[in-house]
Amino acid sequence: MLLATQTLQCGPQRFNTTKEHQARDSPTAPSVRYSSRVPNLPMKTMTFSRSGVVLILVAGGLAFAQTTAPAPVQATPQTNSSYIDANGTAHVTRIVPVPETISPEAQRVLARPASDAPHPETLAERRSHTDAWQARAGAASKAVYPVNITESTVAGVPARIVTPLEIPTAKRDRVLICVHGGGFNSDSGSLTESIPIANLTQTKVVSVLYRLAPEHPFPAAVDDTVAVYKELLKAYKPQNIALYGTSAGAILTAQTTVRLKQLGLPLPGALGIFSGLGDFSRAGDSMYLYTLNGFSGHLDPPTPDTEYVGSTDVRNPVLSPLFADVHDFPPTLFITSGRDLLLSGTTILHRHFLVADVDAQLVVFEALPHAFWNDVSLSESREAYQIMANFFDSHLGKQPPAA
């Protein structure tokens, strides 16, 4: 029996997107070897307590015996229960097996035990670890999806230019702009989020290495992305450009598009918002439930992201596109997953696009955690890449609707 217990107090409504430092693939995660597969044992118990909600989640199913000393055994709830007290606080126990509805490799990821102890690190340590992980994960991605990668600058902004080994003549007038994830203070996706898409779409991807917080708070990243887009407009028609990103990059995609509309610039032909949000004034429900790994690992309550937000009003429509006019936005693909900490943020922003009559599609993958597609070994990741690529292929090159 592997058991983790955690108590949380209700945090401020504004939240910190830099929770990404606890990412599933982080090189700082503890390394533990497992053997002797033990079926039918509860895998993990997690207890969350906050103002308004006390929630006990029990994730069960596949379990593994540790070769290292096991954690102290605690009583594990064995039944589902629910009680609402006089203050409206919900006391809930749920037993959640590893689902059989996902791939075997994804089941193994969800069944992997992780300590719920905090792993504090300095910003310098975080960036060093994230850069090292991105290099390893990028190499793994490139092995599956061969591409060419060069370092460059566009409009004075550093960028990685990721190109397929061959670009068909019909696709040489297209370009994709990728803005990476990483909590706005590091790079956790400039390679892993661009390599598969360049390969599958047979289209050049400009992966923008925008300025990072806290040295450069909002709107620096937006300004850099706008500068790159304006430069590419000199060589590409807007309907042949797509803008997309994951996590912080998904947020930045929506923010940049709002800013482009404010500037009166022609909008891209398509957007990809992959596990993002559009509201820095309130934390969505899923941020209180899930870590970057889903149910496992350390969970902090949402806190104000002052490093990125700076002194900007959290309801500023560029910072928080949920408060922006998104009418006439281009076709947009939203992707999230059942145990994504940004599940709420993604679906709320998707609804905002639908209300504005935007052609907005939403794909929710079963059970998987935040930005799972950074793990190229999962069949679900390869499916997600193909969905992204098909979307861009089907929407780029079309004439924008008449105003």
Side-chain angles (χ1 to χ4, degrees), residues 332-375:
T332 305
L333 175 64
F334 291 81
I335 298 182
T336 182
S337 48
R339 300 186 188 180
D340 180 10
L341 66 94
L342 295 185
L343 170 63
S344 296
T346 304
T347 57
I348 290 169
L349 188 60
H350 172 250
R351 286 164 44 212
H352 182 58
F353 277 47
L354 290 180
V355 169
D357 202 28
V358 176
D359 178 4
Q361 302 177 27
L362 172 65
V363 177
V364 182
F365 277 81
E366 162 78 341
L368 292 166
H370 180 65
F372 66 86
W373 44 86
N374 276 298
D375 184 351

Side-chain angles (χ1 to χ4, degrees), residues 86-279:
N87 296 320
T89 301
H91 305 258
V92 182
T93 301
R94 292 291 183 261
I95 298 172
V96 185
V98 174
E100 297 180 357
T101 49
I102 58 178
S103 68
E105 58 266 30
Q107 290 180 25
R108 288 191 289 272
V109 168
L110 293 190
R112 185 183 301 151
S115 169
D116 70 346
H119 298 285
E121 58 185 356
T122 67
L123 180 60
E125 289 170 338
R126 165 168 164 71
R127 287 176 174 171
S128 176
H129 296 152
T130 304
D131 288 347
W133 168 77
Q134 185 63 193
R136 293 193 304 271
S141 185
K142 188 178 178 183
V144 179
Y145 298 100
V147 293
N148 295 314
I149 304 172
T150 59
E151 304 290 329
S152 184
T153 59
V154 180
V157 179
R160 289 186 164 127
I161 310 301
V162 184
T163 55
L165 302 185
E166 294 185 9
I167 303 178
T169 302
K171 295 187 174 182
R172 291 176 184 171
D173 62 349
R174 306 188 332 178
V175 66
L176 308 178
I177 302 173
C178 172
V179 281
H180 63 75
F184 291 108
N185 67 9
S186 64
D187 173 6
S188 67
S190 66
L191 295 173
T192 53
E193 296 162 17
S194 59
I195 289 171
I197 304 305
N199 175 283
L200 291 171
T201 61
Q202 297 179 296
T203 301
K204 180 171 72 174
V205 176
V206 176
S207 191
V208 182
L209 301 177
Y210 53 84
R211 286 171 291 169
L212 301 174
E215 298 92 337
H216 305 284
F218 177 89
V222 174
D223 291 343
D224 286 352
T225 310
V226 169
V228 170
Y229 181 76
K230 290 172 67 176
E231 184 66 22
L232 292 175
L233 278 177
K234 297 176 181 178
Y236 299 90
K237 295 179 179 179
Q239 62 265 30
N240 290 342
I241 303 175
L243 173 62
Y244 75 95
T246 291
S247 196
I251 299 168
L252 183 54
T253 293
Q255 292 174 335
T256 298
T257 309
V258 173
R259 184 59 181 148
L260 294 175
K261 183 176 180 179
Q262 287 183 344
L263 293 171
L265 292 169
L267 299 183
L271 303 177
I273 296 177
F274 308 141
S275 185
L277 56 85
D279 185 1

